[in-house]
Amino acid sequence: MGTSARELIDRLLDPGTFASWDRPPVPVAESRSYRTELAKAAAAAGTDESVLTGEGLLRGRRVAVIACEFGFLAGSIGVAAAERITAAIERATALGLPLVASPTSGGTRMQEGTVAFVQMVKIAGAVAAHKAAGHPYLVYLRNPTMGGVFASWGSLGHMTFAEPGALIGFLGPRVYEALYGEPFPDGVQTAENLYRRGVIDGVVGLTVFRRIAYRALSVLSGVVVPDRGTGAADRFVPVLGAAESAAPAWESVLISRKPDRPGLRDLLRHVTHRVPLSGTGQGEHDRTVVHALARFRGRPCIVFGHDRASYRLEQAALRDPGASAALRDVDAEAALRDSEGPVPMHEAMGPAALREARRSMALARELNLPLVLVIDTAGAALSKEAEERGLAPEIARCIADLVTLPTPTLSVLLGQGAGGGALALLPADRVLAATHAWLAPLPPEGASAIVHRDTGHAPELAAAQRIGAADLLADGVVDRIVPELPDAAAEPVAFARRTVAVIADELAGLAAGPGGDRAPARYRRYRAFGLPD
């Protein structure tokens, strides 16, 4: 027996805070047999329809809630249920409340035919209006969630998690077998498979989802919280000029490739309210990137960037009942990804990674949050598959989306910055670079192969192309350098904390600057780049 709607509400919200928004179901055309079915369903489920709605507190934060009741005609959605859902979404929008929806349903109600089927349009429209108004919409899929429910309001969340082992899909297995005379393949319509494929963000129990939802709503609120628990050494980072940060470009290239150099995951270990996201939501997932919600020294933002996989969860610790609550809690939703093994060093990013980047840009736009982009890539994938799946068009779309994004943006050159994969995440309001980070059209060996027909001239090409951080600062590509003392691999924790402090400082500077649409000023910056003063 799955979790009922009332059980979900009781476990999700603070005790005693739920207030129902439900009115008696709107009347619909009923046959005598359908009336009998509805009466039996109400008696069995203890509810008057297949959905309950209302509001309450989630760890002290006011939220609206929609929860399906599978015990009422398999959670099916007819006109009355759809009207209840739509009215709740509209009320949440009017009140400016974040909305948590938890479907479990076999789909639209067959007894009401096409009229019930079309109800999904108004529900999806109400969700779209809620999101367009800048309000968070979080989804927790329960077992099972199928058909039109999954294909409408079950798939529109800013983030979407599911309970372990849940059956989730569009086409019902029994329908498939009846139509095609063979069973639907095993293991396809599971929460775990959809997570691995990039359709949903994670698979967690309800207790963990409650904590994830709290963290997500804290970030998505956009409210800056006081910076606590950091000393003066963590907050102060010297501002270096080009001369002070100068290093031979080729030396920086070699240093940036050290296997033990800290990456994006190392930075995220020093932020708060981190909620990892996963995939494009459209069936693609590239393990060379990381996507998350987070607070940098209390400042909320969307984070997206390349991942050099220096951080990996230990599955033994996750499975150990004695493992720390923090480990199980903070990273449980990332365990499936990490259990598959680390990303190979310098693995090239493909089109799916860029589509994930565009998802991060869309989230920043919809929720009016700053976007932090981290560049650390040896380049985009060079393969038949990447070409056929639209690598070049995705680079172009990323650049266009980022240049026109109205919210504050910050790009961080953390290490390697080769090719279109790096350029796709570069054009921000402010650009930072670590001392030994670099940016180039190709790795220096590739440039040498084009110019000299060998790779032996890579060091001189690196210097001539001015790819190092000091030259990028002097040329105006970069605005600030994060010091490495002497290089990040030698001081991984100190460097990560220093970088987090600089990101927080830059986010504060962006927040203090002119409000409104940032895109025009960003366009002017890049419009003038390379031209004489």
Side-chain angles (χ1 to χ4, degrees):
M1 183 69 177
T3 305
S4 72
R6 284 201 174 93
E7 288 172 337
L8 178 127
I9 290 169
D10 289 344
R11 293 173 60 191
L12 180 69
L13 299 180
D14 300 347
T17 64
F18 177 69
S20 175
W21 287 352
D22 294 336
R23 296 179 179 178
V26 298
V28 297
E30 304 169 349
S31 64
R32 180 177 299 176
S33 61
Y34 184 30
R35 278 198 301 273
T36 301
E37 282 189 82
L38 291 173
K40 289 182 178 178
T47 62
D48 61 358
E49 248 301 340
S50 63
V51 64
L52 301 181
T53 71
E55 67 169 279
L57 300 181
L58 197 165
R59 297 183 68 171
R61 187 177 297 276
R62 189 181 176 195
V63 298
V65 179
I66 298 172
C68 276
E69 174 52 66
F70 194 78
F72 192 105
L73 295 181
S76 58
I77 303 300
V79 171
E83 181 58 29
R84 180 172 287 182
I85 293 168
T86 304
I89 298 169
E90 291 172 343
R91 184 169 177 175
T93 305
L95 293 172
L97 294 181
L99 177 59
V100 180
S102 183
T104 173
S105 173
T108 56
R109 192 164 296 172
M110 293 298 101
Q111 295 89 332
E112 296 182 25
T114 300
V115 172
F117 176 54
V118 177
Q119 297 299 304
M120 299 305 105
V121 176
K122 73 180 183 185
I123 298 175
V127 171
H130 182 80
K131 293 168 66 177
H135 306 310
Y137 178 59
L138 313 183
V139 175
Y140 184 64
L141 304 171
R142 285 144 60 218
N143 181 47
T145 302
M146 303 295 294
V149 171
F150 183 48
S152 57
W153 55 288
S155 292
L156 293 175
H158 286 117
M159 71 174 205
T160 304
F161 287 81
E163 67 178 356
L167 176 69
I168 301 170
F170 179 61
L171 182 63
R174 285 188 297 174
V175 175
Y176 181 90
E177 187 167 359
L179 291 175
Y180 299 107
E182 60 185 29
F184 194 79
D186 288 337
V188 174
Q189 295 176 318
T190 66
E192 289 76 8
N193 184 54
L194 296 184
Y195 168 72
R196 287 191 293 268
R197 302 292 178 179
V199 178
I200 63 176
D201 290 306
V203 180
V204 296
L206 181 54
T207 301
V208 174
F209 176 74
R210 171 178 154 87
R211 291 194 283 266
I212 290 171
Y214 169 74
R215 289 177 183 150
L217 293 175
S218 173
V219 174
L220 300 180
S221 71
V223 176
V224 177
V225 298
D227 180 10
R228 296 174 181 172
T230 57
D234 294 320
R235 292 192 296 267
F236 175 73
V237 179
V239 177
L240 304 182
E244 298 166 289
S245 56
W250 181 243
E251 178 184 330
S252 289
V253 170
L254 297 179
I255 289 174
S256 75
R257 292 172 176 173
K258 287 185 176 182
D260 53 350
R261 184 179 176 84
L264 174 53
R265 283 181 183 258
D266 296 275
L267 302 190
L268 293 179
R269 295 177 74 178
H270 300 280
V271 303
T272 58
H273 292 84
R274 177 166 66 94
V275 178
L277 304 177
S278 178
T280 62
Q282 302 174 34
E284 291 182 293
H285 171 44
D286 190 316
R287 294 180 60 244
T288 67
V289 296
V290 166
H291 188 189
L293 312 178
R295 285 185 177 274
F296 284 74
R297 300 290 191 264
R299 297 198 166 270
C301 62
I302 310 291
V303 184
F304 179 87
H306 306 120
D307 175 30
R308 63 170 48 233
S310 59
Y311 177 67
R312 182 184 179 187
L313 290 178
E314 290 293 338
Q315 278 301 100
L318 285 172
R319 296 193 182 103
D320 179 5
S324 72
L327 178 63
R328 292 195 304 271
D329 180 14
V330 174
D331 287 312
E333 71 277 5
L336 286 175
R337 173 188 294 182
D338 291 328
S339 70
E340 296 171 358
V343 180
M345 278 297 295
H346 311 320
E347 183 177 336
M349 61 183 295
L354 295 163
R355 285 188 268 272
E356 286 195 55
R358 294 180 64 212
R359 180 190 175 196
S360 74
M361 297 172 199
L363 282 175
R365 183 189 301 270
E366 289 179 359
L367 295 162
N368 194 31
L369 284 173
L371 175 63
V372 175
L373 298 154
V374 176
I375 298 170
D376 193 1
T377 179
L382 303 176
S383 68
K384 173 179 179 292
E385 292 76 13
E387 296 290 339
E388 291 177 345
R389 290 169 52 216
L391 176 64
E394 284 304 325
I395 292 172
R397 294 184 189 109
C398 269
I399 295 171
D401 286 357
L402 190 51
V403 168
T404 57
L405 196 66
T407 59
T409 55
L410 177 66
S411 185
V412 183
L413 274 165
L414 198 63
Q416 300 189 91
L423 188 64
L425 306 187
L426 180 73
D429 297 318
R430 294 278 291 176
V431 180
L432 312 179
T435 299
H436 295 297
W438 53 275
L439 179 70
L442 286 172
E445 297 91 336
S448 178
I450 291 175
V451 176
H452 298 286
R453 299 186 182 276
D454 62 43
T455 60
H457 293 78
E460 66 184 70
L461 260 294
Q465 291 187 321
R466 299 178 62 79
I467 71 173
D471 286 332
L472 296 174
L473 180 65
D475 292 341
V477 178
V478 163
D479 300 298
R480 184 174 177 181
I481 290 179
V482 183
E484 300 183 43
L485 306 171
D487 76 73
E491 44 145 15
V493 173
F495 173 76
R497 294 173 69 91
R498 189 180 308 128
T499 304
V500 167
V502 173
I503 291 172
D505 184 56
E506 290 291 335
L507 290 174
L510 288 170
D517 190 346
R518 302 298 182 106
R522 193 181 306 126
Y523 175 76
R524 288 193 297 271
R525 167 180 175 150
Y526 288 94
R527 174 68 176 81
F529 183 72
L531 298 178
D533 295 335

